[in-house]
Amino acid sequence: MTIPIARLGPLAQLRAGRTPRRISHLLLGLIGYGASVMLLVRSGLGAASWNVLTEGIARSTHLSFGSATNLVALAVLVAWLPIRELPGLGTVLNVALVGFSADATARVLPQPHGFAAQLGYLLGGLVALAFFDALYLGAQFGSGPRDGLMTGLVRLTGKPIAVVRTAIEVVVAVAGWLLGGTVGFGTVLIAVCLGPLVGFLLPRVTVSLSTAERGKP
C-alpha cells in the first residue's frame, strides 16, 4: 500500500514547484488542524487520541494545552529515527502552529450548551480534522511529528492508512487515559473514522509535484 505523497528531503520539497499553492495549503491546513483539535476537546464527548494524551500530560504537568501539544510533538520526533522519516518545512511549522492555533481557538470558542451542540462540535471537529490533516499533508512539505509516524509506518508495513492510523490512535488513547485525559464515545468514533477519512481525502487534496522532483528520495 502506497500513500499519494512523495518521499522528499527538505531541499527537494522546496524545489518541487507549485510553491504558492502548496504553502497556502500547508498554512491553512495547520491552522485549521489546531482549531479542529480544540473543537473536539470542547465537545466534552471525547477528544482525538493524541489530544487525550496531550490533555493527560497537561493535567499532570500543569502546562497549557498548546504547550503540551508542542511537547508531545517534539517527543514523537524521536520515534522518527528508526523509521527514517524525512522532515521538512511542514514538520517545523506543525510544531510551531498547531499548538498556537489550538490555544487561540480556545480563547474565542464558546462552550457548547446541550448535547446537540456537543455533538455538533464533535462531528464538525472530526470532519474538519480529517480535511485539514489531509490538506497540509497534501502540500508535500513533510509531515508533522504525529503524521510522520503514521506515514513512516505505512511505508514500512505496507498496511493501509486506515489500519495504521487506527492502531496508533488506540495505543495513544489508552496512554492518555492513564494520564488523566478525557475519553468518551467520541474518542472511539474518532479512532475508528479518522484514518479512513484521511485515507479518502488525501488523494483528493494532494498537490501534484513537478515530474523532475516527484519520487526523489
Side-chain angles (χ1 to χ4, degrees), residues 14-198:
L14 295 173
R15 294 195 301 258
R18 308 190 74 179
T19 303
R21 181 179 178 186
R22 291 168 59 217
I23 287 287
S24 65
H25 281 210
L26 175 64
L27 294 177
L28 179 60
L30 291 175
I31 293 170
Y33 188 103
S36 304
V37 162
M38 190 49 61
L39 262 177
L40 294 172
V41 172
R42 282 286 172 86
S43 77
L45 299 177
S49 299
W50 284 107
N51 307 126
V52 173
L53 177 61
T54 299
E55 185 184 6
I57 291 174
R59 288 183 174 181
S60 301
T61 62
H62 305 293
L63 293 170
S64 73
F65 186 88
S67 297
T69 296
N70 291 338
L71 179 64
V72 170
L74 291 172
V76 173
L77 283 174
V78 177
W80 282 26
L81 297 176
I83 62 176
R84 302 180 67 185
E85 188 67 8
L86 298 176
L89 179 62
T91 309
V92 177
L93 291 181
N94 186 289
V95 175
L97 291 180
V98 170
F100 172 81
S101 176
D103 275 351
T105 302
R107 288 192 286 269
V108 300
L109 185 68
Q111 291 286 351
H113 297 290
F115 179 74
Q118 289 179 287
L119 187 61
Y121 272 33
L122 174 65
L123 297 179
L126 171 59
V127 174
L129 185 67
F131 173 75
F132 288 117
D133 192 27
L135 190 67
Y136 101 80
L137 285 173
Q140 307 213 54
F141 275 114
S143 304
R146 305 160 197 80
D147 288 312
L149 185 63
M150 175 191 73
T151 55
L153 289 175
V154 167
R155 289 190 176 100
L156 283 178
T157 65
K159 301 295 183 182
I161 289 175
V163 172
V164 173
R165 184 64 173 255
T166 301
I168 293 172
E169 295 279 334
V170 170
V171 171
V172 171
V174 171
W177 175 71
L178 292 173
L179 288 171
T182 303
V183 173
F185 84 88
T187 308
V188 178
L189 181 67
I190 295 164
V192 171
C193 296
L194 187 59
L197 281 172
V198 173

